[in-house]
Amino acid sequence: MAEIDVENEEKMTFGLAAGALYVFFGILQALASTGLVDIPLVPGNAIGVLVLVVIGAVFLFGYRELKEGIPEGIAYIHVGIGLSLVFGIIYLLVMGADAISAYLIRSEDFEDWSIIDDVRPELYLALLSLIGLVKWRDEFSLKGITISGV
Amino acid sequence: MGAKNHITVALAGNPNAGKTSLFNAITGSRQHVGNWPGVTVEKKVGKYTHKGIEIEVVDLPGTYSLTAYSIDEIVARDYIVEERPDVVVHIVDASNLERNLYLTTQLMELGTRVVIALNMVDIAEKRGDVIDIEKMAGFLEIPVVRTIANIGYGVTTLMDEVVKEAQKPEHHEHEIGYGKEIEKALVKLESIIKRDTHLVGIYPLRWIAVKLIEDDENIKERIEFSPVREEIEEFLAEIDTIDFEARMADKRYEAINAVLPQVLKKGEVGMTTSDMIDRVLTNKYLGIPIFLILMWGAFELTFTFATPFMDIIDLVFGHLSGWANENIEPAWLGSLIGDGIFGGVGFVLIFLPNIFILFLMLSFLEDSGYMARAAFIMDKLMYNLGLHGKSFIPLLMGFGCNIPAIMATRTIEDEKDRLITILVNPFISCGARLPVYLLLAGAFFGGQAATVIFFIYIFGIVVAVGSAKLFRSTILPGKPAPFIMELPPYRLPTLRTTVIHMWERGSMYLRKAGTIIFVFAIVIWSLSAFNGDGYIEETEKDIDEGELLVGDGAFEGKGRFTVLEDGEGTFTGTVLETVELKSGTYEKDRYYEGIELMEEEELHGDGTFEGECEFLSDEDGGRYIGEDFTVEESFAADIGHGFGPITSPLGFTWKMNTALVFGFVAKEVVVGSLGVLYGVGEDEDRVSDSMEDDKDFSPLVAFCLMLFTLLYLPCLATVPVIYKETGSVKWTGFSVGYGLVLAWLLAFVVYQVGSLMGY
Amino acid sequence: MAPVMPLQMAPEGKELRVTSINAGRGLTRRLIEMGFNERALVKVLNSHGRGALIVQLNDARFAISRGMAMKIMVDVA
């Protein structure tokens, strides 16, 4: 049992950190979306704000439950990691597609495009979740009943 | 009796028991997907050779029982009862034995040869369940094989058992005792039914008797013309069938519960992974937001990620089309192949990346188990809108394409709910309408284009919801039916099954829409290239004041010339206004010869011009001789003029009418048609330029045209689907008529009010 | 004897037993086929707001709309 508690403790910290980062970047993106400020690597995108804040909220819910001693709270951390990776992959694919438009098709709309235009919080914040995935990879199997600690 | 070398096997089982996975595992890619006769339920048949024996495998729809509750169940039951497959493989979800065995008891009653595939044993065992399959097979007198369908485990053993079972000369009829009173009634009923020799040949007697007590609609229809019908009805009136039925169901569960504890040692029942995930994804506060961002992700991929692939298809077909136009003689054949076929087919294929990615997303969401949760999450909202929790998925799919969306309404059991969902679906702006909005809003609303398009989308949703409410309070009164829906456990779909699933749906779009649009592309081309005198090769035409022409030819008279492509035109004649061009300044009223005009340069002159150009006559007396201006004299123009009296209160001109008529084929055709009608092909920039120059085309008219495009008709490919799914000419006609009337009324109000307000 | 109530009003997370189904014949049959026979044990996993419920029955999970949940009578097992 003690071992599991240590692990949940780690997840709690992870949840707090990831949640705070996502919400923080969500706020940054909201500022960028107003068009008043220009923040490097945070392109303005109103729906992107929602994505970041929701993922952040999922992590923070997990943090709160674990803090209250509810072990099921780790489900939020796991789902948060999943969502974060899903959006990471989506924007990686979008970046790839834009690169094809710019370099292969040489589309007019992509004349001034550079890879940095497609770097957004969803993409680099997903790296954090990748660490989580690698660290707790044995628990990410939907085939079996393997959320440990419950 | 010798060994059979050809046997038919039907796969039956509860929804989500893993039937499709097992089917794929057995047959691999040798499948054929069709429809069951008379209904739109999918029929999947696959072939498989096992140790020299040819086996035909039929995948039946997932069912909870063999009562005639939904189309799916009738299909499954009729197949088992009437087609008499050699063996029925009953896929049983090992983690859900009790409920799954209920279907087993019904199969046993039918007297078919059954082999049980105890599926997903890995999940049950991981949780600590112990299932004694030998005992289970012994009690049920049915072979039981352990399988894990998604990795193909157990398939060979299963097929061994199937072949063995098929060779058995006879099958036992396993019976469940229903207690003295009911048994007496059954015996009596059987003795009556026995006298109808026709019925005896089709169904087992006892089964008919049981179904009659259960008040089974389907069986009641069968005995309608039976000579013993009256006798049966008299007898049924004497007994309390409702009570009997309840007791029979009880007995079946009793029988199951007598066997179950000896066969199954339950592991710990705690929270499963699925429950854990559900705590998050269906969370009171987070459920809807998570759903929204996932949808956003899916659409981001569908539209943004698809762009370069669409561009590539566009480029390829553009080149093919241009090549055919230039190199194929005679000119009409070149135009048919280039504009008609490559243009038309290209237009369908451009949307292929969208459609396939959208279906990939939807298949993934569905196969993972999330879609069922989405219906749960949105139920409250949908209920308040007079719709059904299960209506949500079809409406969502409507943003991609209304065809699969309407087909997806099959999961809705209640006929009224289903009908309403089908009827309002065409008001959800499908992907094909987006190009029309982009073109019109881009040309007339400039920086506000995105807002206008967004408004049109919202307007579509409002109309759909408003119509649902209207139908609920008028023609289809009542409340959304209560529903119950099983939530399958979450699982990570394998790439293979998701891709197969996507291909099944996507290729359907390709076949249906592709063939129809292909044919109509040729029809449209013919209508715009021919008139009563045959193919219109070159036009000579007097141009009235203020009339705009776009073409590659010569113009004589007073007018304005705008060059469309770089350095292609030369002007000879008197200049009407002093202008400063890149090549120099040209004075008013002076004669010049051979001025070379650059792209987008404008010149007012009185003379001749050669090259690709836009001509606008300032005064009477202009004359145009050249190509690319054939539509105005074609059949297409006659069609457009014909609708003039109906659409003039909406501010539409004949060109718009013609475009809308063609747009019935597929809404994206509106864009292409406007291109053809304005004589500039499908280049968007040029279409919008010439529209802006058209004095009959104001932002108000453009807005009304968008509204009309949104609402007026389901597209040609959707109408037959509506007919198939509703099975009614009346409702199909209603759907078409309602859309037309609504579109006309709303466009009329907007145009008239807008005009009065001075827009 | 524990009080009988519609599933809609049952508390979350408690083991419940189906006592009867107050629905039409077809619907009752359907529910029984899905496993909601008398004496079946169920548990409400998710019941918030005014929307549907998530109910556990053996190893299956069902989304049940409010209207439906009013027809299924249960008591605390």
Side-chain angles (χ1 to χ4, degrees), chain B residues 701-722:
Chain B
V701 172
F703 185 77
C704 289
L705 193 59
M706 280 191 264
L707 267 191
F708 205 85
T709 306
L710 165 69
L711 304 172
Y712 76 122
L713 281 175
C715 71
L716 187 65
T718 308
V719 172
V721 176
I722 295 180

Side-chain angles (χ1 to χ4, degrees), chain B residues 211-229:
Chain B
K211 287 292 141 188
L212 282 170
I213 288 178
E214 285 178 354
D215 197 34
D216 186 281
E217 291 292 333
N218 204 250
I219 286 295
K220 270 165 48 192
E221 273 169 34
R222 303 272 159 159
I223 62 155
E224 197 160 341
F225 302 106
S226 164
V228 294
R229 179 185 144 205

Side-chain angles (χ1 to χ4, degrees), chain B residues 645-704:
Chain B
I646 303 170
T647 61
S648 57
L650 317 178
F652 296 174
T653 62
W654 71 267
K655 287 179 185 172
M656 300 175 211
N657 292 346
T658 310
L660 287 170
V661 170
F662 291 159
F664 171 52
V665 174
K667 301 226 171 170
E668 63 266 46
V669 171
V670 171
V671 176
S673 307
L674 284 172
V676 173
L677 296 169
Y678 278 96
V680 288
E682 280 174 13
D683 185 324
E684 273 188 20
D685 296 336
R686 287 168 59 181
V687 180
S688 46
D689 285 347
S690 18
M691 285 190 314
E692 280 173 82
D693 289 337
D694 186 340
K695 61 181 165 35
D696 294 323
F697 223 138
S698 65
L700 179 63
V701 172
F703 185 77
C704 289

Side-chain angles (χ1 to χ4, degrees), chain B residues 1-110:
Chain B
M1 196 171 132
K4 295 179 193 165
N5 51 19
H6 178 98
I7 54 180
T8 21
V9 175
L11 303 185
N14 284 182
N16 307 317
K19 234 161 29 62
T20 307
S21 303
L22 187 64
F23 181 73
N24 289 339
I26 296 173
T27 62
S29 52
R30 283 157 302 164
Q31 318 182 346
H32 172 76
V33 183
N35 277 349
W36 293 91
V39 287
T40 46
V41 178
E42 232 167 46
K43 180 184 187 178
K44 287 204 260 179
V45 181
K47 286 220 163 52
Y48 166 76
T49 312
H50 183 79
K51 295 179 182 161
I53 296 167
E54 204 177 295
I55 300 175
E56 189 177 308
V57 188
V58 180
D59 190 16
L60 298 176
T63 57
Y64 287 109
S65 75
L66 296 178
T67 32
Y69 189 75
S70 65
I71 314 167
D72 283 2
E73 277 164 348
I74 295 173
V75 165
R77 186 174 89 177
D78 284 356
Y79 185 81
I80 295 173
V81 174
E82 280 162 25
E83 305 285 320
R84 295 252 152 207
D86 295 300
V87 178
V88 173
V89 171
H90 175 25
I91 294 99
V92 168
D93 176 358
S95 58
N96 237 322
L97 270 183
E98 186 183 22
R99 204 259 322 272
N100 276 260
L101 287 176
Y102 193 80
L103 181 61
T104 317
T105 63
Q106 297 198 319
L107 286 170
M108 282 157 69
E109 245 165 8
L110 256 180

